[in-house]
Amino acid sequence: MNKDSLSGLVLLALAGGYYWATGFIADSTLEDEVGAVGLPHALTLALVLLGLILLVRGLLAARAAAAHAATGPGAARVEDEERDARVPRALGFLAIGAAYVVLLPYLGYLVSVALLIGAVSLFEGAPRRWTVPLTAIGGALLYWAVFVKLLGVNQPAGLLFQGWLS
Amino acid sequence: MTTFWDIVHLLTATPIIFVAIMGLTWGILGGALPGISASITMALVLPFTYTMDPAMAIALLACVYIGAEYGGSIPAILIRTPGTNSSAATVIDGYELNRQGRAGEALGISLMSGVIGSLFGLAMLALLTEPLSWLALAFTPPSYFGLGILGLSVIASMTGGSLVKGLAAAVIGLMISTVGTDPISGVTRYTFDIPDLLNGVEPVLVMVGLFALTELMSQSGSTAVLALKDSVRIRLPNLAMMNRLKRSQTIGCILGLFEGLTPGGGGSIAAFMSYNEARRWSKTPEKFGKGSEEGVAAPEAANNTVASTALIPLLSFGIPSSNSTAVLLGGLLMHGLLPGPRLFEQNPQVIDSLYVGSFIAIIAQIGVGVVLLPAAVWLVNRPRPYRAGFIFALILSGIYTLNMATFDLGLALALGVVGYLMRIAGFPFLPMILGVVLGHMVESSYRRSLVLSGGDMMVFLQDPICVGLLLAAAGFVIFSLSRELRDARKAKLQEALG
């Protein structure tokens, strides 16, 4: 299945989910002629139409591509494969961000940011040397000093270190 | 009307000079990092402006934009990698000059042409914006509906080759804008009993998620190694050289003005058009592509002009014509400032700060650009893994600042994933941003118009401004659609010819 067909299906699923969630919008005595569900219904319809167009376009393109099947992988195909190979890395990056979100309320800003910088640096290929923790701690102290102390931007102190890192 | 004493007060009683220099510095450093565009540089700093005085916050963002346009030319000239999209045209002759051992000269020409373009753009901004904005005083709810539709019609020219995908992205953006409290009846929509969603999804979260987080995720695992020469020093052009460059700089300024005013124009189009026109009008067209000074001056004057003139439709009517101006609009909305004549009337200090801050940044660019070059080179040469860690930490720190809520962090990460998938599937970002930013205005003005007219749809055709705006929007969509069809036909023909 090519990108357009897949995108079309995702759009249709998204439209279905959005329409389902529209059912939870409560009625109001202040309702106007269009109502709170007017625009959502119009948007659902638009997304269904666009999803169908993409799906059909993708299927037609797939059929045309099959008719002109190349003997080897084309440049675009190789490019796609290279990009697909990087998807797990992007997900790993996201997982580090998600871990930061979970740990932030417990460990507080200073410790969480140090862990974040260290983890991302290692994940992105920094050599496993003493420079990683040193850079992570230095970076966290720098951010904490600039944002929390200098600019007065509030960041969570954390449950574990509350009182002496805020 | 701003008086001389207002400006003196601004300079002496506010931190405008500090803000302008900081914005400029951040802009140059961010713009110099390949992959970090002007809009990403602005989006990174946007959350931190939340706690700032609105006038200073908007001035800061405008100065970041100015700095990023120059910063983008540094790697374009030194390593043939444009730091921002709009500096792509600078690569052609800038890098050739570098290969000839004239990198310092190319950087100097880029800097001075950028300063001239920015000054011209700022003058046009100050002259044209307020008179245009007064048109908006005659606006009624139907007119605002027409304006919102015109803003959304920009999407037609920002689809990156696929109108269907651009429209789908816009619809998703509009869907996001429906989250929160309904503007007329007050009922909640799509909040799923989560209190953090009662006020809707802030456009800034969408911008940071789509632009910044998506870029970081896309760059993850990249093994590209960039190395700038530490020894490069800027050589500013002398008067004789400036005299030789005036024709190409004028071309850059004029096309920059035109493109800045055009919805969907933008710095990259202006830069490439200026490059072509400068070659056409040059006395030495044969030098273009082989290290022409004019080939650096024209695109740099153009993209820096756009950095100011693109603010004209934004401040007058609230229409963002590029990613960067969309981020600036996000900044205005975040501080409760609505573009249009009331902004000039009720918040003149915001406009004054924007103009004065931009002027300071443009002039300071000559000194800061020279001083900051080694720092920009140092930053670009840092190992990518550490840089990624620091940028990710900066993004997440900024997002938390908005509402002091970890929920926002999760939401921005989710939007980053959406952006990443959109990029893989070839969906453009700007239509989605426009949908989020303009969705509320389009829906509320449409429904208010119908409430006022008792449900009569003719209300939209009885308002001449609304009719004019809707016709302009229709014309714009038809023009973009016909261009896309023509391009597709041309591509098919070329493919058939082999």
Side-chain angles (χ1 to χ4, degrees):
Chain A
M1 188 174 278
N2 62 19
K3 272 192 293 189
D4 277 3
S5 317
L6 200 61
S7 302
L9 285 177
V10 170
L11 291 185
L12 289 174
L14 187 63
Y18 186 71
Y19 185 74
W20 169 77
T22 306
F24 293 98
I25 297 174
D27 291 330
S28 166
T29 48
L30 297 171
E31 207 70 85
D32 57 317
E33 195 160 310
V34 178
V37 296
L39 181 66
H41 281 162
L43 292 175
T44 306
L45 187 65
L47 203 62
V48 167
L49 282 175
L50 292 165
L52 284 174
I53 293 172
L54 266 183
L55 183 62
V56 171
R57 197 169 81 176
L59 291 174
L60 289 176
R63 214 168 63 175
H68 300 92
T71 47
R77 179 89 180 268
V78 172
E79 205 173 280
D80 281 354
E81 281 170 4
E82 277 174 9
R83 195 176 42 207
D84 291 349
R86 277 160 69 170
V87 170
R89 291 210 58 89
L91 291 176
F93 205 90
L94 183 78
I96 295 173
Y100 172 81
V101 177
V102 172
L103 292 176
L104 185 65
Y106 301 101
L107 300 180
Y109 180 69
L110 189 57
V111 179
S112 303
V113 162
L115 289 174
L116 178 73
I117 295 174
V120 171
S121 304
L122 286 172
F123 183 72
E124 289 296 306
R128 290 169 188 240
R129 286 203 301 257
W130 56 271
T131 42
V132 174
L134 198 71
T135 309
I137 294 167
L141 283 170
L142 177 75
Y143 277 4
W144 180 72
V146 171
F147 297 130
V148 180
K149 292 295 167 192
L150 190 70
L151 298 177
V153 174
N154 284 328
Q155 295 285 354
L159 292 173
L160 296 180
F161 305 102
Q162 212 161 20
W164 60 282
L165 280 182
S166 55
Chain B
M1 182 75 187
T2 304
T3 64
F4 172 74
W5 294 111
D6 290 332
I7 296 171
V8 171
H9 177 261
L10 196 61
L11 290 170
T12 52
T14 70
I16 188 72
I17 297 175
F18 176 73
V19 164
I21 304 286
M22 283 296 107
L24 179 71
T25 303
W26 175 250
I28 292 176
L29 293 176
L33 289 173
I36 307 291
S37 63
S39 50
I40 296 176
T41 309
M42 292 168 77
L44 284 173
V45 83
L46 183 58
F48 294 105
T49 63
Y50 189 65
T51 52
M52 288 174 71
D53 168 64
M56 294 301 119
I58 301 306
L60 180 85
L61 288 170
C63 296
V64 172
Y65 190 10
I66 290 167
E69 287 301 332
Y70 165 66
S73 71
I74 297 173
I77 290 168
L78 298 183
I79 49 172
R80 210 181 184 178
T81 305
T84 57
N85 293 335
S86 57
S87 55
T90 310
V91 169
I92 307 168
D93 280 293
Y95 186 68
E96 277 305 314
L97 284 168
N98 178 26
R99 278 178 43 166
Q100 294 163 18
R102 296 165 65 197
E105 203 180 322
L107 286 166
I109 291 169
S110 158
L111 180 60
M112 289 310 294
S113 302
V115 167
I116 287 169
S118 299
L119 283 174
F120 174 76
L122 184 62
M124 291 298 108
L125 175 69
L127 279 174
L128 298 177
T129 309
E130 194 167 0
L132 272 176
S133 75
W134 285 103
L135 280 177
L137 262 191
F139 277 31
T140 55
S143 318
Y144 276 108
F145 171 70
L147 184 64
I149 296 296
L150 179 65
L152 287 175
S153 73
V154 172
I155 290 162
S157 65
M158 289 285 180
T159 53
S162 173
L163 188 62
V164 178
K165 288 180 179 176
L167 289 174
V171 170
I172 296 169
L174 288 167
M175 284 175 161
I176 293 174
S177 80
T178 60
V179 175
T181 308
D182 177 52
I184 304 291
S185 67
V187 298
T188 55
R189 299 189 292 193
Y190 312 108
T191 54
F192 307 104
D193 295 328
I194 301 169
D196 297 276
L197 286 175
L198 281 176
N199 287 327
V201 178
E202 295 206 39
V204 58
L205 283 178
V206 182
M207 290 173 195
V208 174
L210 290 191
F211 291 140
L213 286 174
T214 299
E215 188 60 42
L216 272 184
M217 287 168 73
S218 303
Q219 284 187 11
S220 179
S222 161
T223 49
V225 177
L226 305 169
L228 303 185
K229 288 178 204 160
D230 286 330
S231 57
V232 176
R233 294 284 175 271
I234 289 184
R235 269 189 59 204
L236 294 177
N238 56 25
L239 277 178
M241 175 61 80
M242 286 301 281
N243 200 34
R244 272 177 50 202
L245 297 175
K246 67 183 177 202
R247 185 184 288 126
S248 50
Q249 287 166 341
T250 308
I251 289 169
C253 287
I254 292 169
L255 289 173
L257 169 64
F258 176 73
E259 284 299 322
L261 289 171
T262 312
S268 14
I269 301 173
F272 277 107
M273 278 174 70
S274 306
Y275 182 84
N276 277 334
E277 288 308 306
R279 180 169 53 187
R280 207 148 67 92
W281 290 88
S282 173
K283 286 178 182 166
T284 53
E286 70 283 356
K287 276 180 72 180
F288 277 72
K290 294 170 190 160
S292 164
E293 297 89 350
E294 290 174 286
V296 174
E300 282 302 310
N303 63 32
N304 281 278
T305 303
V306 170
S308 295
T309 54
L311 303 189
I312 297 172
L314 175 75
L315 294 176
S316 306
F317 303 115
I319 299 178
S321 57
S322 63
N323 291 337
S324 304
T325 47
V327 177
L328 195 59
L329 178 61
L332 286 165
L333 297 177
M334 196 168 77
H335 288 281
L337 302 166
L338 285 176
R342 298 205 197 288
L343 180 65
F344 289 81
E345 232 175 28
Q346 294 168 359
N347 302 92
Q349 73 285 3
V350 172
I351 301 297
D352 292 346
S353 304
L354 178 73
Y355 292 168
V356 173
S358 297
F359 183 75
I360 294 168
I362 294 165
I363 299 302
Q365 205 174 342
I366 301 170
V368 176
V370 174
V371 173
L372 219 57
L373 181 65
V377 170
W378 180 87
L379 200 62
V380 174
N381 283 342
R382 284 317 86 203
R384 215 192 57 79
Y386 293 114
R387 214 170 57 209
F390 273 76
I391 294 176
F392 199 21
L394 181 68
I395 294 169
L396 295 179
S397 305
I399 293 167
Y400 185 83
T401 315
L402 289 173
N403 298 310
M404 316 293 165
T406 44
F407 177 82
D408 286 352
L409 294 171
L411 192 57
L413 286 174
L415 286 161
V417 176
V418 171
Y420 185 73
L421 295 175
M422 283 173 70
R423 180 174 277 191
I424 287 178
F427 284 76
F429 290 160
L430 189 60
M432 185 163 156
I433 303 274
L434 284 175
V436 175
V437 169
L438 296 173
H440 187 267
M441 180 169 87
V442 171
E443 186 187 12
S444 59
S445 53
Y446 176 75
R447 289 170 62 187
R448 270 195 195 109
S449 305
L450 288 179
V451 167
L452 290 173
S453 69
D456 184 5
M457 293 289 278
M458 288 302 285
V459 70
F460 298 107
L461 299 178
Q462 284 160 354
D463 184 303
I465 297 177
C466 177
V467 172
L469 292 167
L470 289 177
L471 283 176
F476 201 66
V477 171
I478 291 167
F479 171 73
S480 304
L481 198 61
S482 63
R483 196 175 53 184
E484 185 174 314
L485 287 173
R486 199 180 54 219
D487 289 350
R489 225 176 287 141
K490 216 185 275 180
K492 216 175 242 179
L493 195 69
Q494 274 173 348
E495 201 179 306
L497 289 171

